[in-house]
Amino acid sequence: MGHPRTTRRDFLKKTASLSVVPSLAPLLPPLLAPLLVPCRASAAAKAPLRLILLHSPFHFGEAYYHPQISPTDSGPAPAGSNFFLGYANSSLAPLAPFQKDLIIFRGLKYGAASSSHLSGGTAFTGSALETAGGTNPKISGTSIDQYLFNRMAQAGSLSPICAGLFTYLSATHTFDHSIVFNNGAPLAQIDNPMNLYNALFANFRPPTNTPATPASMSQTARRQQALAFAQKYLNGLVGQLPSTSPSASALESHLAAIRGLAGQIAGSSANLAGCSPPSSSAVTNDAGPDAGNYVVSNAPLDVTSFINIITQAFACDITRFASFKMSDYADPSQILLQLMPGLTDFDQTTNWHAMTHTTDGSATNASDIKLAQFKAYFMNQAAALLSALKAVPDPYSTGQTLYDNTVVLIGSEGPVQTSHSDYHGNGDPRSDQPFIIAGGCGGYFKGGQLIFAGGSKSASVPHNALLTNIVNTFETNQQQFNPSYVPKILSQYGDYSFSVSPTSWLT
Amino acid sequence: MIIGISSFVLFCGVFCDCDRAFDSDSHDFATSSVPPTAQGNDVDSDKPCSNVLPTRKVWPLSRAEYDNTVNAALGNSSNQAQKLFPAEDRANGFTSNAQAEIVESNLVNLLMTAAETIASQSVAGEMNYLATDLQCTLSASPSPTSQDPCAINYIAARGAAFFRRPLTTDEVSDLYQAYLTGFNNPFPNTNATVSGIENVIVTALQSPQFFYRTELGLNSDTSSDPVQLTPYEVASAISYLATGSPPDATLLAAASSGSLNTAQAVTSQYQRLIATPAGKEKVAEFVLEWLGADQVSQLGNANGPLTPALAAAMFTETKDFVQEVVFNGTGTIHELLTANYTFLNADLAAYYGLPASNLGANFSRVSLGSDTDRGGVLSQGAFLVSASNVEAGVPLLHRGRIIRQQLLCEALPSAASLGLPGFTPPPFTNPPAGTTTRQALTKDIVGTCYNCHQFFMPIGFGLENFDPFARYQTTQNGGTVDSSGELIEPASIDEDSGLILSSESFNQASFSGYLALASALAADRRTLSCFNFQVVSYASGRNNVGQDECSVRFASQSSRDGVSTATIQEQFQNYLQSQSFAWRSR
């Protein structure tokens, strides 16, 4: 708030040494002080362009979340870059191929979350909880994907993708369980891949890949005219309302969305060589509206469809932000069994939620092994997403892929459980949340690290500090974003001063 | 939201003389041309209500309303919105409550897709409409400067159906430009004039005039405060409330003639529409959404005892029951909660363990004998299952919470308000054989836990004879079910938060079994006051109806006059006659 805007790069030029650390120390929370390290951003570092938020249900067990020291030393790895993920039952083993870019955190805490499952999902993305109700946490603020979109959307960019897997099955589900919010309003997660596909691609024509034809030019003219009509009269309605009116705000959102669609229809100047939307026949369709009517047998393909859609939305430069809530505790858990045919010792009546209540964080507890496999399934999906991003050229960076310039933030509904008394983390509200940064992130972050935020697993550093770092990373891209903007709402993500420092604990 | 409702209900109960809140002679002010007074002078109470009118707003159509409006205008029943659009962001449980609805780019894309699909499906019929109804022929060479009268006739006629009011000159002109754009940039395999008409439809369906209902008053009036809704806005408000559809010709004619300017006229139109099949569906929708009972249709599980077919049957049971109460019964909330009949088919009766010998596949009204503990909407499967939170395995807790919140409009205290920030209830573990859930909870939930559980657990006990899947049970887990409980009158209220806090003493009414609970709820004034708030929330599309304080008090008048005689329709009609229906603050 009101901080003079100094880019990380500018600051580096001015300082370029550790000598700045002592002078900054008073600005930093005591628990972060042990993490102060020289900035080690690579010479090629630049601001990432895209962000994906991945949410997985339940908690992690200590024994199968924390990396080993090495393939031959099963001891818990210390902080640093020497750690091993591929051990038996490791929940993070699927991420091993991406280890050089991973940052695995311990010691972060959901600062504003209650102990309820659902508040974990909301806090993960940065929204503040006004009332941490058990089933209906009330939200204020804006989640990090929406915030970045609101600040940085380029012409023609659509709103962030909000995808969800099985998030409307339970009777108690409403959008209050969404993990993304805009000004306190939960946004709809699209659970049917076909609906998301239609929302993104039904009206999309890759402008540089498909030569304009008379038919396509006519379509463009008609659509531009229809959108212009809507814009004119939306503006008229906005003009009749005071700017503080919720209706005016909603209409402004509608207008912004129309401007994005109009820009998309007008075409993009990016190199869209990698833009190749899947055919609709390759996308699963859980017939009916998003609330219910799931085709359970589609489940594995649903995940694949969502991954393909997100990847292609990035490749076609339709949007740059996405969230994917891969279920939560309230879904009929046995359905998820059909996603994981390789699991053993389960039957169709297994209640995952009840099972997690019998974990104790140890390596020998049978429930912990099951939970580790369960979580590994979701990390497998994260790995599939990372692989998909690696396979597609970046529209803005020759020779690079989407992976290179995307931040994938992996979060979890519950924390890392260390003991039975720490009953799936709820007994110690929201400390030691298992955050993982993946993806190339523009080379901005120092990957391949195991970090103990605050110096220990129990340090309880607010995770908002991490979100602040990510936000600030995006906003250092002076070429693309308004450099004079003062990030007034960064307070929602922690203390702004935490992340403007070049000695940030992430780089 | 619940806090707001609770605050008012409790505040009113404590500080107001609610019986004298409104002068019964002042009821006819809904659409009066005289602005309501700023301070609610018609309120005669120790603490007059603030008479804060709701502010002007726009209100997006729900998916069902969108589809109904398309169907009314074009005869297109393809229900594109329900196929394509994300489910509504329910507020206070109601799909029609649009307070939190945000249109972002995903929906804008889908609006375009839906518009293009509907137009493509409908344009052939529209060409017939031009030829047979409007009896005109479109020019083969329309001019931008000299408008084609046939196209203009079409735009004016269909535009009024799309926008639920006559079009302005600008709108006609702009839609004519849409016609020309379509004419000059034809759809594939479509001739120019047809394409022009198709593009008018596409444009209109993506317009805010179609997608939003407005409550703004006259555009030309930029200074009046409060603002009276226009006759066409009133017509839409009546129609969407009563039927979920746009105003029909009769209602539009009333708006056009200026005859909607009395409360009697508004009520009369509402009563006409509510008696239609669509109106009866809407009444049932309100009750189902109020109680969250509509969720049952999503809870059928091929692998569980509640099959999709049984879940659908439970939905039908409650829908038919509500319509019977409202349109063939006394119409009272009392009957809704205590009626000794329901609607069953053979499968559902057998599932419930009720006699099914005279029943077939269709639903019939069935009297519930004195030997059954069922009766009223809360004993029907739709509510029992939806309110159970089956996964958690402790239905009595969740049912009690929902009764407390949805029927009594009372908030539950947060852990923080009880001095327990971050408190997490311990997991529920299945009790040993021979011990019921109630027995286990009663034993385990003591001390601190009871500070909160006391507010909903004793109510939930009354439904213990119904398992999470709505089957009747006299034993559970080998133990004998005890369905006696208590309906506690809160005696200690935090005025700031509206939360019920633990207190030293309670006035509490004991009941024995579900039927006694239902009777107690039906006779409790909190139920009726809460019902009024739910009606206003549903009818006004507002989550926080605290600002409608005066209207709600007004609507509550009849409830206070007679708890057992207040009817459901009357509550809606009272809202329609209130200031909050037809007036807005700027």
Side-chain angles (χ1 to χ4, degrees), chain B residues 304-583:
Chain B
L306 184 68
T307 64
L310 281 168
M314 290 175 177
F315 183 93
T316 301
E317 175 195 18
T318 297
K319 179 170 75 73
D320 288 357
F321 170 76
V322 171
Q323 292 175 353
E324 182 76 359
V325 169
V326 173
F327 297 103
N328 298 322
T330 63
T332 60
I333 300 154
H334 189 275
E335 182 175 338
L336 186 75
L337 293 174
T338 63
N340 67 343
Y341 64 88
T342 188
F343 280 77
L344 299 172
N345 65 6
D347 288 345
L348 188 56
Y351 178 81
Y352 284 161
L354 296 173
S357 56
N358 297 325
L359 297 170
N362 295 327
F363 281 77
S364 303
R365 175 170 164 153
V366 174
S367 293
L368 299 168
S370 58
D371 56 343
T372 174
D373 280 345
R374 292 184 193 269
V377 70
L378 300 183
S379 66
Q380 294 171 0
F383 173 79
L384 291 168
V385 172
S386 299
S388 285
N389 193 343
V390 170
E391 188 212 16
V394 281
L396 76 169
L397 297 184
H398 294 278
R399 291 169 179 169
R401 176 178 59 81
I402 287 176
I403 289 173
R404 196 90 204 171
Q405 293 181 337
Q406 294 302 103
L407 274 87
L408 300 177
C409 288
E410 291 175 348
L412 297 175
S414 65
S417 74
L418 294 171
L420 299 165
F423 173 76
T424 300
F428 177 76
T429 53
N430 291 324
T435 303
T436 66
T437 302
R438 172 178 182 161
Q439 289 166 339
L441 287 170
T442 306
K443 174 176 173 291
D444 292 341
I445 299 179
V446 295
T448 300
C449 297
Y450 196 71
N451 283 345
C452 187
H453 278 253
Q454 63 186 327
F455 293 114
F456 53 92
M457 210 162 67
I459 297 177
F461 289 154
L463 294 160
E464 268 294 80
N465 278 125
F466 305 106
D467 79 2
F469 301 103
R471 296 170 298 195
Y472 192 76
Q473 60 182 7
T474 54
T475 63
Q476 189 238 330
N477 195 37
T480 301
V481 165
D482 175 5
S483 59
S484 63
E486 295 162 351
L487 189 59
I488 300 174
E489 294 281 355
S492 179
I493 309 302
D494 182 279
E495 285 187 40
D496 293 329
S497 68
L499 296 173
I500 309 166
L501 302 176
S502 61
S503 68
E504 295 73 26
S505 63
F506 296 99
N507 298 317
Q508 54 192 37
S510 298
F511 61 83
S512 178
Y514 162 73
L515 293 176
L517 168 63
S519 294
L521 286 170
D524 194 310
R525 288 189 172 185
R526 285 175 295 172
T527 305
L528 300 185
S529 295
C530 180
F531 186 84
N532 290 327
F533 272 93
Q534 303 289 7
V535 165
V536 174
S537 177
Y538 176 80
S540 67
R542 282 189 293 277
N543 197 8
N544 178 5
V545 296
Q547 62 183 341
D548 296 88
E549 189 176 317
C550 282
S551 291
V552 175
R553 285 199 211 175
F554 174 72
S556 300
Q557 181 69 41
S558 61
S559 304
R560 289 186 294 273
D561 289 345
V563 168
S564 62
T565 59
T567 71
I568 295 166
Q569 283 207 64
E570 183 184 40
Q571 309 314 309
F572 280 93
Q573 291 167 20
N574 284 345
Y575 170 70
L576 292 170
Q577 294 173 11
S578 73
Q579 294 175 357
S580 289
F581 173 68
W583 290 87

Side-chain angles (χ1 to χ4, degrees), chain A residues 115 159 199 232-233 240 254, chain B residues 56 105 109 116 174 212 424:
Chain A
S115 54
S159 305
K232 173 181 176 178
Y233 288 97
Q240 292 184 58
H254 192 163
Chain B
R56 296 181 307 144
S105 54
N109 257 286
E116 292 180 350
D174 288 338
Y212 294 101
T424 300

Side-chain angles (χ1 to χ4, degrees), chain B residues 33-194:
Chain B
S33 59
V34 179
T37 54
Q39 287 301 318
N41 293 337
D42 49 352
V43 176
D44 177 14
S45 73
D46 295 339
K47 186 179 174 65
C49 65
S50 56
N51 194 20
V52 176
L53 290 169
T55 55
R56 296 181 307 144
K57 71 169 185 177
V58 296
W59 187 350
L61 299 180
S62 70
R63 292 176 302 164
E65 289 168 344
Y66 178 106
D67 289 333
N68 290 342
T69 308
V70 167
N71 197 9
L74 297 170
N76 184 315
S77 57
S78 62
N79 294 333
Q80 292 298 316
Q82 292 176 79
K83 287 179 180 172
L84 290 173
F85 300 171
E88 290 82 5
D89 181 5
R90 293 184 182 217
N92 197 25
F94 298 125
T95 52
S96 62
N97 191 332
Q99 185 164 264
E101 207 69 77
I102 290 180
V103 178
E104 34 61 65
S105 54
N106 288 341
L107 183 53
V108 163
N109 257 286
L110 295 174
L111 287 170
M112 176 179 279
T113 302
E116 292 180 350
T117 303
I118 292 164
S120 173
Q121 293 172 344
S122 304
V123 72
E126 291 303 279
M127 299 311 289
N128 286 335
Y129 169 74
L130 272 163
T132 58
D133 290 71
L134 299 182
Q135 297 186 338
C136 64
T137 303
L138 293 163
S139 167
S141 54
S143 162
T145 53
S146 175
Q147 295 178 336
D148 178 348
C150 186
I152 294 297
N153 282 348
Y154 175 81
I155 288 166
R158 278 297 188 247
F162 289 133
F163 297 173
R164 288 88 68 184
R165 58 169 172 74
L167 272 58
T168 65
T169 305
D170 269 2
E171 287 169 338
V172 171
S173 177
D174 288 338
L175 282 175
Y176 185 66
Q177 290 304 311
Y179 174 76
L180 293 176
T181 300
F183 186 95
N184 295 320
N185 299 276
F187 289 85
N189 306 314
T190 307
N191 75 38
T193 53
V194 174

Side-chain angles (χ1 to χ4, degrees), chain A residues 115 158-160 168-169 171 175 182 185-188 190 195 198-200 202-203 218 221-223 225-227 229-230 232-234 237 240-242 245 247 250-251 253-254 257-258 261 265 288-292 329-330 333-334 351 353 357 423 426 429, chain B residues 56-58 63 82-84 86-89 100-106 108-113 116 163 170-171 174-175 178 181-182 185-188 199 203 206-209 211-212 214 216 219 295 298-299 301 386 389 391 401 422-424 427 586:
Chain A
S115 54
L158 301 185
S159 305
Y168 288 101
L169 280 174
F175 292 138
N182 206 339
L187 300 182
I190 299 183
N195 284 359
N198 286 332
L200 297 174
N203 304 308
S218 288
R222 291 192 309 268
R223 288 176 167 177
Q225 173 273 322
L227 294 177
F229 183 97
K232 173 181 176 178
Y233 288 97
L234 277 168
L237 288 173
Q240 292 184 58
L241 292 161
S245 158
S247 283
L251 292 171
S253 169
H254 192 163
I258 284 183
L261 182 55
I265 287 171
D290 285 308
Y329 89 102
S333 308
Q334 56 268 35
N351 182 320
H353 185 205
H357 281 259
Y423 162 69
N426 285 349
Chain B
R56 296 181 307 144
K57 71 169 185 177
V58 296
R63 292 176 302 164
Q82 292 176 79
K83 287 179 180 172
L84 290 173
E88 290 82 5
D89 181 5
E101 207 69 77
I102 290 180
V103 178
E104 34 61 65
S105 54
N106 288 341
V108 163
N109 257 286
L110 295 174
L111 287 170
M112 176 179 279
T113 302
E116 292 180 350
F163 297 173
D170 269 2
E171 287 169 338
D174 288 338
L175 282 175
T181 300
N185 299 276
F187 289 85
N199 204 44
T203 302
Q206 291 179 80
S207 70
Q209 297 98 315
F211 189 65
Y212 294 101
T214 64
L216 299 172
N219 193 11
Q295 301 285 351
Q298 298 177 35
L299 297 176
N301 186 330
S386 299
N389 193 343
E391 188 212 16
R401 176 178 59 81
F423 173 76
T424 300
R586 187 165 288 280

